[in-house]
Amino acid sequence: MFKAILIEKPEETQSVSITELSDEQLPEGDVLVDVAYSTLNYKDALALTGAAPVVRRFPMVPGIDFSGVVAESNHSDFKPGDRVVLNGWGVGETHWGGLAGRARVKGDWLVPLPEGISAKQAMAIGTAGYTAMLCVLALERHGVTPEAGEIVVSGAAGGVGSVAVALLAARGFDVAAVTGREAEAAYLRDLGASSVLDRSELTGKPRPLNKERWAAGIDVAGSTVLANMLSMMKYRGVVAACGLAAGMDLPASVAPFILRGVTLAGVDSVMCPKPDRLAAWQRLASDLDMAKLEKITVEVPFEEVPQIAPKFLDGAVRGRIVVPVTPELG
Ligand code: NDP
């Protein structure tokens, strides 16, 4: 038996409990993993609170990420004892996830943990950090270099934003960190932001075009924030959009695209193909300052996960949350 968080929905409203499960209850898959650490992302908070229909099947073990050690494998790429990390693929949404002592998954979903990243660090990174890396890679793919000018990052004090600021600064980019929390200015400068802007600069009614300010952007907010960001891109600027913290809508005009050649690059981490995941994890291993990662990470006991989740929805979580499940494995 192993501990697990379980979301059930017998009728209209869902309930969350901490319970015990056995291997026999786990879903199908060709690799069984002993989970060392999991984490909490914005999406986990939506699942745990039921604020959005993230969970597609009940009962569900939440947790879109985990790191751990292979216990049993029928997959040619993995053998018992291998250190692995999993992000997305519907885990914690349609397939039981990482907030449990064990997980059985498809081996094709697993990424070998790169040398130099511990199981705990992998979850300090988590989907948020791996998505931040995918965003940086998207900017690079479109030719953005530090010489092009400042890069703007929204939701900068959140999980994706914090890691994005640290990653960009490590590569020599000037970073304008946008936050709704003035009190986090010192934290953001410590991560490497060259300037800190109040979110209100991006929440006014978007105009088709605004004064050109940034060479590129990483946006976790969507809605008015993304529309304003697009309107302020320099000629041939690129925005990597990955989130909807401000909303699903996009009240923008095509003017930045057709008059300034701006690119809007969508970033999805969930179904991202394996080669891109391997590349992102390798770059995280080489680029991310692990001392900075530690500074942005808070550890939350497994038993407190249900109480912490609602704080995400209030925008009150700073940086990343790591959840030890079987930390002695890490
Ligand atoms: P967090 O809650 O850690 O961070 C979100 C941040 O957004 C907050 O900390 C806050 O930062 C800012 N924010 C909150 N509300 C608003 C608002 N109304 N307007 C503008 N900014 C706001 O979440 P994550 O970093 O884990 O995720 C961020 C977003 O990215 C989420 O929407 C998530 O679903 C999405 N995401 C998408 C992925 C993908 O594959 N496409 C993968 C991972 C995440 P501050 O206080 O600094 O302003």
Side-chain angles (χ1 to χ4, degrees), residues 55 61 66 84 87 101 104 109 113 117 134 145 169 191 196 281 284 288 295 321:
V55 176
V61 173
F66 63 77
V84 291
N87 309 109
R104 193 184 284 122
W109 296 345
L113 207 49
I117 298 187
L134 291 177
T145 60
L191 284 182
V196 178
W281 276 99
L284 283 160
L288 189 58
K295 280 190 191 168
I321 290 182

PDB file of all heavy atoms in Angstrom, residues 55 61 66 84 87 101 104 109 113 117 134 145 169 191 196 281 284 288 295 321:
ATOM      1  N   VAL A  55      -9.864  17.682 -14.464  1.00  0.00           N
ATOM      2  CA  VAL A  55      -9.973  16.229 -14.263  1.00  0.00           C
ATOM      3  C   VAL A  55     -11.086  15.692 -15.161  1.00  0.00           C
ATOM      4  O   VAL A  55     -12.223  16.155 -15.114  1.00  0.00           O
ATOM      5  CB  VAL A  55     -10.262  15.908 -12.777  1.00  0.00           C
ATOM      6  CG1 VAL A  55     -10.470  14.415 -12.592  1.00  0.00           C
ATOM      7  CG2 VAL A  55      -9.126  16.421 -11.907  1.00  0.00           C
ATOM      8  N   VAL A  61      -6.164  10.463  -9.205  1.00  0.00           N
ATOM      9  CA  VAL A  61      -5.001  10.898  -8.431  1.00  0.00           C
ATOM     10  C   VAL A  61      -4.443  12.109  -9.170  1.00  0.00           C
ATOM     11  O   VAL A  61      -4.027  11.981 -10.323  1.00  0.00           O
ATOM     12  CB  VAL A  61      -3.932   9.790  -8.334  1.00  0.00           C
ATOM     13  CG1 VAL A  61      -2.669  10.326  -7.672  1.00  0.00           C
ATOM     14  CG2 VAL A  61      -4.466   8.586  -7.580  1.00  0.00           C
ATOM     15  N   PHE A  66       5.756  14.197 -11.849  1.00  0.00           N
ATOM     16  CA  PHE A  66       6.461  13.508 -10.761  1.00  0.00           C
ATOM     17  C   PHE A  66       7.878  13.181 -11.176  1.00  0.00           C
ATOM     18  O   PHE A  66       8.196  13.132 -12.367  1.00  0.00           O
ATOM     19  CB  PHE A  66       5.718  12.234 -10.298  1.00  0.00           C
ATOM     20  CG  PHE A  66       5.582  11.136 -11.329  1.00  0.00           C
ATOM     21  CD1 PHE A  66       6.636  10.295 -11.663  1.00  0.00           C
ATOM     22  CD2 PHE A  66       4.350  10.920 -11.954  1.00  0.00           C
ATOM     23  CE1 PHE A  66       6.491   9.277 -12.595  1.00  0.00           C
ATOM     24  CE2 PHE A  66       4.193   9.909 -12.900  1.00  0.00           C
ATOM     25  CZ  PHE A  66       5.270   9.086 -13.216  1.00  0.00           C
ATOM     26  N   VAL A  84      13.743   8.973 -13.285  1.00  0.00           N
ATOM     27  CA  VAL A  84      12.898   9.498 -14.367  1.00  0.00           C
ATOM     28  C   VAL A  84      12.105  10.711 -13.908  1.00  0.00           C
ATOM     29  O   VAL A  84      11.915  10.947 -12.716  1.00  0.00           O
ATOM     30  CB  VAL A  84      11.908   8.414 -14.880  1.00  0.00           C
ATOM     31  CG1 VAL A  84      12.633   7.312 -15.625  1.00  0.00           C
ATOM     32  CG2 VAL A  84      11.068   7.849 -13.726  1.00  0.00           C
ATOM     33  N   ASN A  87       6.191  14.839 -17.101  1.00  0.00           N
ATOM     34  CA  ASN A  87       5.414  16.098 -17.154  1.00  0.00           C
ATOM     35  C   ASN A  87       4.278  15.926 -18.160  1.00  0.00           C
ATOM     36  O   ASN A  87       4.535  15.670 -19.340  1.00  0.00           O
ATOM     37  CB  ASN A  87       6.263  17.274 -17.645  1.00  0.00           C
ATOM     38  CG  ASN A  87       7.565  17.432 -16.906  1.00  0.00           C
ATOM     39  OD1 ASN A  87       8.627  17.161 -17.455  1.00  0.00           O
ATOM     40  ND2 ASN A  87       7.512  17.880 -15.685  1.00  0.00           N
ATOM     41  N   GLY A 101       2.359   7.590  -3.834  1.00  0.00           N
ATOM     42  CA  GLY A 101       3.649   6.908  -3.647  1.00  0.00           C
ATOM     43  C   GLY A 101       4.115   6.159  -4.881  1.00  0.00           C
ATOM     44  O   GLY A 101       5.308   5.961  -5.074  1.00  0.00           O
ATOM     45  N   ARG A 104       1.773   4.207 -12.291  1.00  0.00           N
ATOM     46  CA  ARG A 104       2.035   3.326 -13.429  1.00  0.00           C
ATOM     47  C   ARG A 104       1.649   4.091 -14.691  1.00  0.00           C
ATOM     48  O   ARG A 104       0.520   4.585 -14.815  1.00  0.00           O
ATOM     49  CB  ARG A 104       1.233   2.027 -13.318  1.00  0.00           C
ATOM     50  CG  ARG A 104       1.748   0.992 -14.326  1.00  0.00           C
ATOM     51  CD  ARG A 104       0.953  -0.282 -14.367  1.00  0.00           C
ATOM     52  NE  ARG A 104       1.200  -1.166 -13.257  1.00  0.00           N
ATOM     53  CZ  ARG A 104       0.263  -1.607 -12.417  1.00  0.00           C
ATOM     54  NH1 ARG A 104      -0.981  -1.218 -12.558  1.00  0.00           N
ATOM     55  NH2 ARG A 104       0.556  -2.441 -11.435  1.00  0.00           N
ATOM     56  N   TRP A 109       6.109   8.146 -22.053  1.00  0.00           N
ATOM     57  CA  TRP A 109       5.882   9.465 -21.443  1.00  0.00           C
ATOM     58  C   TRP A 109       7.053   9.907 -20.569  1.00  0.00           C
ATOM     59  O   TRP A 109       7.112  11.073 -20.171  1.00  0.00           O
ATOM     60  CB  TRP A 109       4.638   9.427 -20.557  1.00  0.00           C
ATOM     61  CG  TRP A 109       3.348   9.172 -21.273  1.00  0.00           C
ATOM     62  CD1 TRP A 109       3.124   9.261 -22.619  1.00  0.00           C
ATOM     63  CD2 TRP A 109       2.107   8.785 -20.676  1.00  0.00           C
ATOM     64  NE1 TRP A 109       1.815   8.952 -22.884  1.00  0.00           N
ATOM     65  CE2 TRP A 109       1.165   8.661 -21.713  1.00  0.00           C
ATOM     66  CE3 TRP A 109       1.689   8.529 -19.363  1.00  0.00           C
ATOM     67  CZ2 TRP A 109      -0.168   8.292 -21.486  1.00  0.00           C
ATOM     68  CZ3 TRP A 109       0.370   8.166 -19.132  1.00  0.00           C
ATOM     69  CH2 TRP A 109      -0.545   8.049 -20.190  1.00  0.00           C
ATOM     70  N   LEU A 113      16.001  11.370 -16.127  1.00  0.00           N
ATOM     71  CA  LEU A 113      16.437  12.596 -15.418  1.00  0.00           C
ATOM     72  C   LEU A 113      17.881  12.901 -15.819  1.00  0.00           C
ATOM     73  O   LEU A 113      18.755  12.051 -15.673  1.00  0.00           O
ATOM     74  CB  LEU A 113      16.331  12.334 -13.915  1.00  0.00           C
ATOM     75  CG  LEU A 113      16.111  13.506 -12.991  1.00  0.00           C
ATOM     76  CD1 LEU A 113      14.977  14.390 -13.459  1.00  0.00           C
ATOM     77  CD2 LEU A 113      15.814  12.986 -11.596  1.00  0.00           C
ATOM     78  N   ILE A 117      20.635  16.886 -12.188  1.00  0.00           N
ATOM     79  CA  ILE A 117      19.333  17.336 -11.656  1.00  0.00           C
ATOM     80  C   ILE A 117      18.820  16.254 -10.711  1.00  0.00           C
ATOM     81  O   ILE A 117      18.631  15.097 -11.124  1.00  0.00           O
ATOM     82  CB  ILE A 117      18.305  17.595 -12.780  1.00  0.00           C
ATOM     83  CG1 ILE A 117      18.787  18.712 -13.712  1.00  0.00           C
ATOM     84  CG2 ILE A 117      16.947  17.963 -12.189  1.00  0.00           C
ATOM     85  CD1 ILE A 117      17.765  19.148 -14.761  1.00  0.00           C
ATOM     86  N   LEU A 134      10.553  25.694 -22.604  1.00  0.00           N
ATOM     87  CA  LEU A 134       9.969  25.584 -23.953  1.00  0.00           C
ATOM     88  C   LEU A 134       9.725  26.972 -24.545  1.00  0.00           C
ATOM     89  O   LEU A 134       9.905  27.185 -25.749  1.00  0.00           O
ATOM     90  CB  LEU A 134       8.646  24.802 -23.915  1.00  0.00           C
ATOM     91  CG  LEU A 134       8.720  23.304 -23.604  1.00  0.00           C
ATOM     92  CD1 LEU A 134       7.308  22.710 -23.522  1.00  0.00           C
ATOM     93  CD2 LEU A 134       9.540  22.542 -24.653  1.00  0.00           C
ATOM     94  N   THR A 145      17.834  37.061 -29.964  1.00  0.00           N
ATOM     95  CA  THR A 145      19.139  37.039 -29.291  1.00  0.00           C
ATOM     96  C   THR A 145      19.190  38.176 -28.260  1.00  0.00           C
ATOM     97  O   THR A 145      18.412  39.134 -28.349  1.00  0.00           O
ATOM     98  CB  THR A 145      20.293  37.262 -30.295  1.00  0.00           C
ATOM     99  OG1 THR A 145      20.088  38.552 -30.907  1.00  0.00           O
ATOM    100  CG2 THR A 145      20.339  36.183 -31.364  1.00  0.00           C
ATOM    101  N   ALA A 169      17.866  35.485 -17.932  1.00  0.00           N
ATOM    102  CA  ALA A 169      18.988  36.252 -17.372  1.00  0.00           C
ATOM    103  C   ALA A 169      20.283  35.447 -17.506  1.00  0.00           C
ATOM    104  O   ALA A 169      21.342  36.006 -17.825  1.00  0.00           O
ATOM    105  CB  ALA A 169      18.709  36.604 -15.916  1.00  0.00           C
ATOM    106  N   LEU A 191      16.426  37.306  -9.118  1.00  0.00           N
ATOM    107  CA  LEU A 191      16.404  36.240 -10.136  1.00  0.00           C
ATOM    108  C   LEU A 191      17.102  36.673 -11.420  1.00  0.00           C
ATOM    109  O   LEU A 191      17.378  35.845 -12.283  1.00  0.00           O
ATOM    110  CB  LEU A 191      14.960  35.855 -10.481  1.00  0.00           C
ATOM    111  CG  LEU A 191      14.207  35.005  -9.468  1.00  0.00           C
ATOM    112  CD1 LEU A 191      12.811  34.681  -9.990  1.00  0.00           C
ATOM    113  CD2 LEU A 191      14.964  33.721  -9.201  1.00  0.00           C
ATOM    114  N   VAL A 196      11.519  45.925 -13.299  1.00  0.00           N
ATOM    115  CA  VAL A 196      10.278  45.330 -12.793  1.00  0.00           C
ATOM    116  C   VAL A 196       9.147  46.307 -13.079  1.00  0.00           C
ATOM    117  O   VAL A 196       9.234  47.488 -12.727  1.00  0.00           O
ATOM    118  CB  VAL A 196      10.376  45.041 -11.273  1.00  0.00           C
ATOM    119  CG1 VAL A 196       9.064  44.465 -10.754  1.00  0.00           C
ATOM    120  CG2 VAL A 196      11.538  44.082 -10.985  1.00  0.00           C
ATOM    121  N   TRP A 281      14.857  19.507 -21.202  1.00  0.00           N
ATOM    122  CA  TRP A 281      15.454  19.056 -19.929  1.00  0.00           C
ATOM    123  C   TRP A 281      16.980  19.169 -19.965  1.00  0.00           C
ATOM    124  O   TRP A 281      17.610  19.481 -18.957  1.00  0.00           O
ATOM    125  CB  TRP A 281      14.972  17.643 -19.569  1.00  0.00           C
ATOM    126  CG  TRP A 281      13.651  17.718 -18.864  1.00  0.00           C
ATOM    127  CD1 TRP A 281      12.412  17.531 -19.402  1.00  0.00           C
ATOM    128  CD2 TRP A 281      13.443  18.094 -17.493  1.00  0.00           C
ATOM    129  NE1 TRP A 281      11.448  17.758 -18.447  1.00  0.00           N
ATOM    130  CE2 TRP A 281      12.043  18.098 -17.272  1.00  0.00           C
ATOM    131  CE3 TRP A 281      14.288  18.424 -16.429  1.00  0.00           C
ATOM    132  CZ2 TRP A 281      11.483  18.418 -16.029  1.00  0.00           C
ATOM    133  CZ3 TRP A 281      13.731  18.742 -15.197  1.00  0.00           C
ATOM    134  CH2 TRP A 281      12.347  18.738 -15.002  1.00  0.00           C
ATOM    135  N   LEU A 284      17.685  22.765 -19.376  1.00  0.00           N
ATOM    136  CA  LEU A 284      17.463  23.129 -17.966  1.00  0.00           C
ATOM    137  C   LEU A 284      18.683  22.704 -17.146  1.00  0.00           C
ATOM    138  O   LEU A 284      19.143  23.430 -16.263  1.00  0.00           O
ATOM    139  CB  LEU A 284      16.197  22.439 -17.435  1.00  0.00           C
ATOM    140  CG  LEU A 284      14.882  23.085 -17.899  1.00  0.00           C
ATOM    141  CD1 LEU A 284      13.713  22.118 -17.768  1.00  0.00           C
ATOM    142  CD2 LEU A 284      14.608  24.362 -17.102  1.00  0.00           C
ATOM    143  N   LEU A 288      20.027  26.340 -15.982  1.00  0.00           N
ATOM    144  CA  LEU A 288      19.354  26.849 -14.780  1.00  0.00           C
ATOM    145  C   LEU A 288      20.296  26.849 -13.580  1.00  0.00           C
ATOM    146  O   LEU A 288      20.915  25.827 -13.270  1.00  0.00           O
ATOM    147  CB  LEU A 288      18.104  25.998 -14.490  1.00  0.00           C
ATOM    148  CG  LEU A 288      17.176  26.532 -13.409  1.00  0.00           C
ATOM    149  CD1 LEU A 288      16.664  27.936 -13.737  1.00  0.00           C
ATOM    150  CD2 LEU A 288      15.972  25.577 -13.223  1.00  0.00           C
ATOM    151  N   LYS A 295      16.067  29.068  -4.291  1.00  0.00           N
ATOM    152  CA  LYS A 295      15.484  30.288  -3.696  1.00  0.00           C
ATOM    153  C   LYS A 295      14.016  30.489  -4.071  1.00  0.00           C
ATOM    154  O   LYS A 295      13.271  31.140  -3.352  1.00  0.00           O
ATOM    155  CB  LYS A 295      16.260  31.530  -4.168  1.00  0.00           C
ATOM    156  CG  LYS A 295      17.537  31.743  -3.407  1.00  0.00           C
ATOM    157  CD  LYS A 295      18.096  33.102  -3.776  1.00  0.00           C
ATOM    158  CE  LYS A 295      19.502  33.264  -3.252  1.00  0.00           C
ATOM    159  NZ  LYS A 295      20.180  34.415  -3.817  1.00  0.00           N
ATOM    160  N   ILE A 321       6.351  25.208  -5.964  1.00  0.00           N
ATOM    161  CA  ILE A 321       6.054  24.380  -4.786  1.00  0.00           C
ATOM    162  C   ILE A 321       6.444  22.942  -5.082  1.00  0.00           C
ATOM    163  O   ILE A 321       6.033  22.370  -6.097  1.00  0.00           O
ATOM    164  CB  ILE A 321       4.550  24.456  -4.437  1.00  0.00           C
ATOM    165  CG1 ILE A 321       4.233  25.849  -3.902  1.00  0.00           C
ATOM    166  CG2 ILE A 321       4.168  23.378  -3.427  1.00  0.00           C
ATOM    167  CD1 ILE A 321       2.805  26.033  -3.476  1.00  0.00           C
TER     168      ILE A 321
END
